[in-house]
Amino acid sequence: ESGYEAWLRYRPCESEELLGHYRKYFNRVWFRQGLEIMRTAMQELSHGAGIITRCTVRLCDEGWQGAGIAIGLIDDFSELKDLLGNEILGTLPEDGYLMRSIEHEGLPRLVLAARSANGMLYAVFHLLRLMKSVQRLDRLNIAEHPRNALRMINQWDNMDGSIERGYAGRSIFYRDDEFVSDWSRIRDYARLLASVGINAISLNNVNVHERETLLITDELLPKVAQTASIFSAYGLRTYLSINFASPRQIGGLPTADPLDEGVRAWWKERADAIYRHIPDFGGFLVKADSEFRPGPYTYGRNHADGANMLADALEPHGGLVIWRCFVYDCLQDWRDRKPDRARAAYDHYTPLDGRFRENVLLQIKNGPMDFQVREPVSPLFGGLSKTNQMLELQITQEYTGQQKHLCYLPSQWKEIVDFDTFALGEGTSVAQIVSGKAFGRRHGGVAAVSNIGDDQNWTGHLLAQANLYGYGRLSWNMEIGEEEIAWEWTCLTFGKKEKVTDTICCMLLDSWSIYESYTAPLGVGWMVQPNHHYGPSVDGYEYSKWGTYHFADCHGIGVNRTLLTGTGYSAQYPSPQFERYESLQDCPDELLLFFHHVPYTHRLQSGKTVIQHIYDTHYEGAERAEGLVERWKTLEDDIDEGRYRQVLDRLQEQAEHAKEWRDVINTYFLRKSGIQDIHKRPIY
Ligand code: BDP
């Protein structure tokens, strides 16, 4: 097996008893024809349940009698109201669904009722998940709905076929500056995304180069529309990343000033054209005035001017502008006393709170820097109260092992979404802010940079599929635990066999901490090779203009971001988070070097000195990486050869590479500090 089927891998049910049970239901499935998404839902149900039950699923739209399943939209299927009651159906949110087992004249029935076609598709995938994890269907009483309205994937694909920060092959969308001609892979991707509730996708890299600038022109819009139609059938709306300088670069205008009437008219005309091609187009994703991308600053305007201009063009069509907050002075240099990069997003955007249109969302990276293995949560969550916000995560493992190392990211993401911002007093989590609930915002949600490419198993490292799956599940409901997600994914991907699920789940759940322990310590981050960001280089960025420093010298290490004596970043957090980070005693160990510069002999809350912590974690981390290989080997007889081998190869590479990390980091700090490891282990 290659891993291509990912978590939609259906196999016949092995228990005769359960098979008999399932067949009673699938002997007859009633549903009413409707939107295309509903047809998709029924195709998925027939496909999945057909394989599991080894029977043809019988679909019918008449004569609701006997045993079976009834699926439909509440408003089209009046019988559902009689069965489930008006009251409960009335409270069902958009995209939510109910799944309930009932008995009718002694015969088993299952009812799936949704408010929208998307809801129906999600209900079907849920039902298939239950069957794949060998659950019975006669006691179901499930009510589900997504907590975030926007659950988005960002592709960083370029039309030449490359993927920025892609670690699983080339783009499945583009080749040689054109769209691909075989759409089957895109359709399979849409299936994977919809199966975990994702409902939006941006099709091109946020760094919009020359060719991709043309995606909004009449030349390329027909192809965009074709791609969008594949996603529409699975309930996903398509977005495009746009180039802010388009009016100049492709529109023949002398300026891209957002307040210029000609520019505003140009964008309106383009928006109208886009919606003629793609009536359910989602909107624009924008990286502006960031890392040399054009933006409103060129014209002396601010981000609200830029975003609102685009928002006005899209508004008549119901489109959204997703404006990224990854804005910092990328040539800053501490010697010039320019501001701390960590402060940048907050400093740029809080003064603009309340000045964005209703159809603008600010997309905020989880941390103030850039997807490091450990960062504090961005203080911009909670710093804004009158602006729609979205959380941006990175599924592609740019700084977390590039899909050669195992790093199960839902563990990290859970800490982020659960983080208490104290924005409205205790208990204002990031999850509540981005859903829009905390501040009663109209739009909200979450976006993440995809980790897939045209590798046969989608993600390079087969186990990295768990990150894509986990992102979808968390974007649906941020309260689901990382353990539960790991278990679900393992079960769906490898089958429900206790030894397999236990082993793989434990490996996944340990992996973030393992990766963190042999890479950059205590929240300092960035000790990577510049540009490609793979492998250790302690000083890789230390003297560069790009502003990511650890300030290690022979006395100590860490960045002083306190209000009292440092950059003042800590003061971007409200009380009591501010006091917690500001204080050397209270600052959590794992973030100590992000907030404080300390001597190597400083004692952590764990009781260890900083230097001993560095040595210990790096020795242990490399050993634990080796341990992952051993744990995987115990599954040799339980997993098919193809998938077993691929994972083994990656884990072995990780174990080797972890030793390199250990040696580079430990040697560096032994030399810098001159302090020996108390256990006198060899340092290379
Ligand atoms: C950084 C990546 C860079 C992206 C940038 C972004 O290194 O490739 O373009 O983020 O998010 O992590 O815009």
Side-chain angles (χ1 to χ4, degrees), residues 156 164-165 207 287 291 324 326 365 370 398 533:
W156 280 3
E164 178 142 349
R165 311 304 178 188
N207 297 315
K287 172 173 179 175
E291 299 184 336
R324 297 178 79 230
F326 183 59
K365 283 192 183 182
D370 191 12
E398 178 177 0
H533 301 159

